Amino acid sequence: MTRLSAITPSGHAHLGNHLGAIRRWANQGRPGDLYFVSDLHAMTVSYNPARLRVLSRELLAVLVAAGIEPDQVFVQSDLVRELGALSWILECACSYGEAARMTQFKQKSGTGEPVGTVRLGLLTYPVLMAADILLQGAAEVPVGDDQSQHVELARTLARRFNQTYGEVFTVPTAVMPPTAARVRDLVDPSRKMSKSTQDSVGVVFILDTADLIHRKIKRAVTDSVERMEYRPTEQPGLANLLEILSACTDVAPADLATQYPTYGALKSATAEAVVEELRPIREGAQSLLADPAELDRIRKAGAHRATERGAHRLSSALRLAGVA
Ligand code: AQP
């Protein structure tokens, strides 16, 4: 049974991506699972093409360096022809109303841009996501609350296609990943650490140097309470640091709070733990990025496998839909 997960190169991968997803993928993934860099999904908002290319490569290197088997990873755009074809078939099986009622579309299209200028891709990308899932025959898609509606759409489209034209697609199920650390921005703990945050001072990137990680964590916002306790609502900055250290050491945040006399001591310990947690990935990713031929080889092999995997589903879907 294949599980399919993705990460979007909307910025550099960060500590939150690592603790909340990548580390789990590497440690708890099963042999048939697939992971991909969803670069096509990064195009629904304004972006820089050269940067997107660099970030996609970097993210592929990070996934492999984190310990995900190279034969389980691929880059989405390497399947652009297959996905483009399947997306069109699925768009023609999807109503405008179904796409327009996606909560994420409503939220992201209501962020100040006049509605007429919102990219059509923002409306249709859940259908592309359905194509990602259905092309690979994924049975399970681990998603957070914000994406479960998209998997529901993929289920609807798979069932509709199967019933209308003929049985081709596995109907996928959204599965809730086990609760993982939700890492918050170090400077503004009211929001989660994000790749696309404009101000990177509060974001620890996986490829940051040890020195930079120390500086960022040292400048993390805490509070003036100066009370060493794990109280996420009253002291969110402090709780974030305790949770990060907990995720790196496997000691409960409340227990950690009793071990450090000052915020400064906690910050030093957290920075040290984060540096060590990220070190093997940073070093592994850097050596892959310094060996473009090897990274290209991994990428090509992944693209070949993923294309082969989906080939019979795509050709059946096209044939049953009356084209090609
Ligand atoms: N701060 C976080 N703490 C824990 N887990 C996180 N994830 C993201 N941020 C945190 C998890 O990383 C995986 C891949 O994320 P994604 O690329 O699908 O997009 P995202 O969740 O929207 O990630 P970002 O970093 O916040 O990117 P932008 O800025 O583009 O929105 C997911 O499993 C996610 O839960």
Side-chain angles (χ1 to χ4, degrees), residues 12-17 183-188 191-206 208 212-213 216:
H12 299 285
H14 54 75
L15 181 65
N17 298 131
V183 181
R184 309 195 151 274
D185 188 283
L186 296 176
V187 173
D188 179 0
R191 61 174 192 225
K192 78 175 182 110
M193 198 174 272
S194 272
K195 289 185 231 93
S196 53
T197 301
Q198 294 300 319
D199 185 359
S200 61
V201 187
V203 182
V204 172
F205 296 112
I206 293 178
D208 277 350
L212 189 52
I213 293 174
K216 284 181 176 175

Side-chain angles (χ1 to χ4, degrees), residues 115-136:
V115 76
T117 65
V118 170
R119 291 169 196 224
L120 191 55
L122 195 59
L123 176 71
T124 59
Y125 106 87
V127 182
L128 174 61
M129 187 172 152
D132 295 325
I133 298 166
L134 301 186
L135 185 68
Q136 298 303 324

